[in-house]
Amino acid sequence: MELALVTGASRGIGRATALLLAKKGYRVAVNYHQREADALSVVAEIQRQGGEAFAVQANIANEAQLMTLFQRLDAEDATLTVLVNNAGILFQQCRVEELTAARIQQVFATNVTGTFLCCREAVKRMGTHHGGKGGAIVNVSSAAARLGAAGEYVDYAASKGAMDTLTEGLSLEVAQQGIRVNGVRPGFIYTEMHADGGEPGRVDRVASAIPLGRGGQTEEIAEAIVWLASEAASYITGSIIDAAGGR
Ligand code: NDP
């Protein structure tokens, strides 16, 4: 059986991605940071639908916890072939002139360093040069990487820009080792993340300015992620799909 790891799968886009991967026949590792009950409900939902999943706690910004997470995957009788780097954070909306070093470092520790380290560990397991069977990595970036998130969270937007560069560079490094690396840049999706920025109703506020005239649903992003991870996208690497309703 093939194993898929989705970081930050306890809710939001990660939850929808875990559910869809399970429907496609993967055993899914549902990573979460703090919300164990939410992660367990994702696992229960997958099992109710006849799929296989397990929850695994780890703060991906903490290298020791991340290594324990991958050791947990190694104990499975399934091969890791899909990594979805979905976990990401942002903080209260503010201007660059108000940012602190501590906040910038925290955002980058999760969104950039955590993603890099998950890629490192996945490549060691998937790469044919390491005796692996190959696989697919999908990095969940953001339209903010293109738009900049001015007046909201430029630190977060810049971290997503770094993720896009990782997608490009890593895709070239491992193209000969059976690993495809792609990204998805969601736009304004209905999740709890906007509350972390201090504006729970943010998606509805901007909806009329989105060409498709509405915010997006988590399932719509999961479709793009899972397609990139699938064999249907077998000739695609180093690509980033904008899933932002035209923004
Ligand atoms: P949510 O805030 O709804 O969920 C975040 C998820 O990430 C949770 O499962 C959370 O775990 C987990 N998480 C947070 N920090 C860590 C960490 N350090 N280690 C492990 N897991 C962590 O986010 P969304 O679903 O909205 O976003 C998912 C991804 O999509 C993010 O990368 C985000 O930047 C990106 N995105 C979202 C957009 C949107 O409009 N919603 C737009 C563009 C991009 P727990 O539940 O345990 O706290």
Side-chain angles (χ1 to χ4, degrees):
M1 185 165 213
E2 294 188 23
L3 179 63
L5 167 62
V6 183
T7 64
S10 45
R11 49 199 168 98
I13 293 167
R15 178 183 194 279
T17 303
L19 288 168
L20 189 55
L21 283 167
K23 275 192 188 146
K24 302 283 182 193
Y26 291 92
R27 182 181 299 169
V28 183
V30 175
N31 163 248
Y32 67 99
H33 182 201
Q34 288 169 317
R35 297 210 197 173
E36 182 179 30
D38 287 351
L40 292 176
S41 83
V42 175
V43 170
E45 176 70 10
I46 288 172
Q47 290 170 343
R48 198 184 60 74
Q49 295 177 5
E52 293 188 25
F54 57 95
V56 52
Q57 195 280 334
N59 172 4
I60 62 155
N62 179 313
E63 188 172 12
Q65 290 184 24
L66 187 148
M67 295 304 289
T68 304
L69 159 66
F70 276 89
Q71 282 158 14
R72 170 75 180 79
L73 303 188
D74 292 340
E76 290 290 310
D77 59 344
T79 309
L80 181 70
T81 56
V82 170
L83 164 65
V84 179
N85 282 309
N86 167 79
I89 56 168
L90 52 72
F91 293 110
Q92 183 71 34
Q93 293 175 358
C94 72
R95 294 168 61 87
V96 169
E97 65 212 53
E98 299 167 295
L99 285 174
T100 63
R103 164 171 158 162
I104 297 166
Q105 281 160 9
Q106 212 177 334
V107 168
F108 274 69
T110 298
N111 299 1
V112 182
T113 307
T115 299
F116 261 87
L117 297 184
C118 285
C119 286
R120 181 187 75 191
E121 294 309 310
V123 166
K124 285 182 184 170
R125 288 158 175 83
M126 295 175 180
T128 52
H129 58 319
H130 290 292
K133 292 182 177 171
I137 296 173
V138 182
N139 292 325
V140 183
S141 171
S142 171
R146 291 183 286 110
L147 302 172
E152 295 190 327
Y153 14 71
V154 177
D155 53 343
Y156 166 81
S159 75
K160 295 299 185 176
M163 281 180 73
D164 287 354
T165 306
L166 167 63
T167 297
E168 175 66 20
L170 181 61
S171 73
L172 297 172
E173 271 191 16
V174 298
Q176 302 283 317
Q177 275 85 48
I179 306 173
R180 296 181 300 103
V181 186
N182 292 291
V184 174
R185 278 191 292 244
F188 299 84
I189 313 303
Y190 288 100
T191 73
E192 292 179 37
M193 173 172 264
H194 309 284
D196 294 339
E199 189 186 3
R202 178 171 174 262
V203 178
D204 285 331
R205 172 174 62 80
V206 302
S208 63
I210 298 169
L212 286 184
R214 62 174 177 84
Q217 301 296 334
T218 56
E219 292 80 4
E220 297 179 288
I221 305 306
E223 289 286 351
I225 294 168
V226 173
W227 181 75
L228 281 171
S230 77
E231 272 306 294
S234 55
Y235 199 54
I236 298 175
T237 196
S239 294
I240 302 175
I241 293 180
D242 286 305
R247 281 292 295 274

